[in-house]
Amino acid sequence: GENVEQHPSTLSVQEGDSAVIKCTYSDSASNYFPWYKQELGKRPQLIIDIRSNVGEKKDQRIAVTLNKTAKHFSLHITETQPEDSAVYFCAATSGADGLTFGKGTHLIIQP
Amino acid sequence: DVKVTQSSRYLVKRTGEKVFLECVQDMDHENMFWYRQDPGLGLRLIYFSYDVKMKEKGDIPEGYSVSREKKERFSLILESASTNQTSMYLCASRPGYGELFFGEGSRLTVL
């Protein structure tokens, strides 16, 4: 089955700086790569996703890049703000099955 | 707005009790999932279902069973609860290959 590794487990950045979270996956058949944000006490919610026919996708301050050859994908957040503080999960899947998630990154935005 | 509703937010049970966690979605999604979330371990898939009366094992099915008698409802059953099943349980639904929508979660404590 699929295995997703996520790094770092904790990331602390100054407000206004950029944050990058990286994930690798093992199954070359995976073709859908979403990122979820989970604020304290709340449910995970999708913030951005990318499919295997695209190398990069951007939505305002958030971008995701995908390198299928190397089997890794990354989340980039620019101009970080206090409300970006949360746990972020990457995931991968090859079909309509359940997503396989990374272990999560706790992003801390320092004022 | 997609709504995934979990019947109980907090439960406290004793070792050996039978536990039912109920989940209902209102968007006619084919696929439903049960995940378990533990600190440092991310979200792990317990069981999922493609259709009524169908079920598939996820990554950690031991000690759990599921029931899907109606398309909108997916239940997780702990036949004999144990302390190592103390966790946050998240139900989710997905329209085929699209976004995964989560419920608010059910925090189960087994004493």
Side-chain angles (χ1 to χ4, degrees):
Chain A
E2 177 64 276
N3 182 48
V4 177
E5 300 281 342
Q6 183 173 347
H7 299 280
S9 57
T10 303
L11 178 60
S12 182
V13 301
Q14 291 292 125
E15 183 179 347
D17 287 351
S18 296
V20 180
I21 302 170
K22 299 182 179 182
C23 289
T24 60
Y25 62 98
S26 61
D27 187 354
S28 56
S30 286
N31 56 15
Y32 176 62
F33 307 91
W35 286 87
Y36 281 78
K37 176 183 180 182
Q38 187 177 29
E39 296 176 355
L40 191 64
K42 297 192 176 179
R43 72 187 84 191
Q45 292 196 294
L46 180 74
I47 54 170
I48 195 166
D49 57 10
I50 192 168
R51 296 193 183 270
S52 59
N53 57 348
V54 176
E56 184 173 358
K57 185 176 178 180
K58 192 172 181 180
D59 182 5
Q60 299 183 351
R61 296 186 297 109
I62 294 172
V64 56
T65 58
L66 171 65
N67 183 328
K68 285 219 73 178
T69 303
K71 295 207 206 88
H72 66 70
F73 55 114
S74 301
L75 177 71
H76 305 252
I77 305 174
T78 58
E79 300 172 9
T80 53
Q81 300 170 3
E83 55 265 35
D84 295 329
S85 292
V87 178
Y88 292 80
F89 294 97
C90 62
T93 187
S94 60
D97 296 359
L99 277 60
T100 299
F101 285 86
K103 288 183 166 60
T105 295
H106 185 195
L107 177 62
I108 301 164
I109 309 300
Q110 302 277 7
Chain B
D1 246 7
V2 174
K3 201 163 191 180
V4 180
T5 303
Q6 294 183 230
S7 56
S8 305
R9 291 295 306 275
Y10 301 95
L11 303 95
V12 179
K13 299 292 182 181
R14 296 211 172 270
T15 302
E17 278 193 80
K18 191 168 186 175
V19 182
F20 292 87
L21 300 179
E22 306 282 345
C23 174
V24 177
Q25 51 98 0
D26 66 358
M27 284 302 291
D28 203 36
H29 289 170
E30 298 89 352
N31 306 322
M32 296 189 73
F33 308 85
W34 276 104
Y35 283 88
R36 170 177 172 161
Q37 183 174 19
D38 300 287
L41 297 179
L43 291 86
R44 294 179 291 166
L45 182 62
I46 304 171
Y47 267 98
F48 60 103
S49 169
Y50 290 118
D51 202 349
V52 174
K53 297 197 185 295
M54 294 186 68
K55 61 182 179 182
E56 297 284 344
K57 291 181 179 179
D59 299 317
I60 52 165
E62 297 78 18
Y64 304 95
S65 62
V66 290
S67 172
R68 194 167 180 198
E69 296 296 318
K70 293 184 177 182
K71 189 175 185 180
E72 67 271 18
R73 188 179 296 270
F74 192 35
S75 302
L76 180 69
I77 303 156
L78 289 67
E79 292 288 343
S80 178
S82 63
T83 54
N84 62 12
Q85 292 178 310
T86 291
S87 187
M88 171 68 82
Y89 292 89
L90 288 164
C91 175
S93 71
R94 191 178 181 209
Y97 295 83
E99 178 182 347
L100 191 65
F101 293 90
F102 285 94
E104 295 278 7
S106 298
R107 185 168 293 282
L108 172 66
T109 301
V110 183
L111 303 175

